[in-house]
Amino acid sequence: MLFDMENLEAQSRYKILTATVTPRPIAWVTTLSDDGVINAAPYSFFNVLGHEPPTLALGLLAGKGRFKDTATNILATGEFVVNLVSERNADAMNTTCVDAPPEIDELALAGLIAVPSHAVRPPRIAESPVSFECRILTSMVTGPHQTIVIGRIVCAHVEDAFVQDRERCYIDTQALRLIGRMHGSGWYARCTDLFQLDRPTWTQLQHAHPATSEAP
């Protein structure tokens, strides 16, 4: 079935995107306002973009007639921290989804501990197994109060228990027990049902399917 995304209502477009692009990693973003108020909120329109330099992107949807506090703070200060969400932190993360006014510290509301970052002013979430300290590279307003932010990762923190080999940067990914966002309100996924595929080489494919390498 064809859906004309140019002519659908916004909520219908949202339903199609969130129902099909899954699971989505969750960026639990901490920022500071100009007045020094901590803000924390989760966003699933998020992913890494590359490693030279290490970059990530956030899609920050509009608030009620204004930019969300996260977008406002990032655009004002140029700094933010992306904390990842493990299964053990799901309830606390969900608490920080609340539509609290800008002067409310969501970390305190959720009973979470803010710890100093190494290179940026916004704090990390102590309970998060992985945190990325970021500085903004660029941003783009893509709709009324809707913003894309691309950040450069300047520091990465991984909980010691999940680092298998520091020198070779081996991380026990499965032990992190990160969760992802699924379709619809309140639906999440665990990363526990895995399978592995070896990436083929062109030589292997030629041997397996000789006809694919023959000229027409």
Side-chain angles (χ1 to χ4, degrees), residues 57-176:
L58 300 174
L60 305 175
L61 303 184
K64 295 180 179 178
R66 62 183 179 88
F67 286 113
K68 287 190 174 180
D69 296 336
T70 298
T72 297
N73 293 347
I74 293 175
L75 296 176
T77 67
E79 296 182 334
F80 60 99
V81 179
V82 168
N83 307 273
L84 301 185
V85 183
S86 66
E87 188 177 347
R88 69 188 182 193
N89 297 324
D91 287 339
M93 176 274 298
N94 192 48
T95 298
T96 65
C97 291
V98 66
D99 56 343
E103 65 271 16
I104 297 299
D105 177 350
E106 288 86 358
L107 293 187
L109 193 66
L112 296 163
I113 299 171
V115 292
S117 294
H118 177 76
V120 300
R121 289 182 61 236
R124 298 181 287 117
I125 299 175
E127 291 81 357
S128 174
V130 180
S131 299
F132 300 120
E133 299 181 24
C134 302
R135 295 195 180 102
I136 192 170
L137 278 176
T138 189
S139 65
M140 177 184 297
V141 175
T142 57
H145 307 297
Q146 177 177 285
T147 310
I148 293 172
V149 169
I150 297 177
R152 178 168 183 154
I153 303 169
V154 295
C155 289
H157 301 261
V158 181
E159 192 173 326
D160 289 350
F162 305 118
V163 179
Q164 296 174 316
D165 188 319
R166 177 185 175 87
E167 296 304 316
R168 292 188 288 180
C169 297
Y170 285 178
I171 310 298
D172 189 349
T173 302
Q174 294 187 54
L176 292 173

Side-chain angles (χ1 to χ4, degrees), residues 176-190:
L176 292 173
R177 297 187 67 84
L178 299 177
I179 61 173
R181 193 72 166 84
M182 292 294 291
H183 63 287
S185 178
W187 283 96
Y188 295 87
R190 298 180 178 91

Side-chain angles (χ1 to χ4, degrees), residues 49-64:
L49 298 180
H51 67 288
E52 292 186 299
T55 52
L56 55 77
L58 300 174
L60 305 175
L61 303 184
K64 295 180 179 178

Side-chain angles (χ1 to χ4, degrees), residues 1-22 24 45 182-184:
M1 182 175 292
L2 173 67
F3 295 95
D4 185 348
M5 300 293 273
E6 293 291 320
N7 293 306
L8 284 177
E9 294 182 354
Q11 188 59 26
S12 296
R13 295 194 295 265
Y14 178 82
K15 289 178 180 178
I16 291 171
L17 294 177
T18 57
T20 56
V21 183
T22 61
R24 301 186 302 281
F45 288 177
M182 292 294 291
H183 63 287

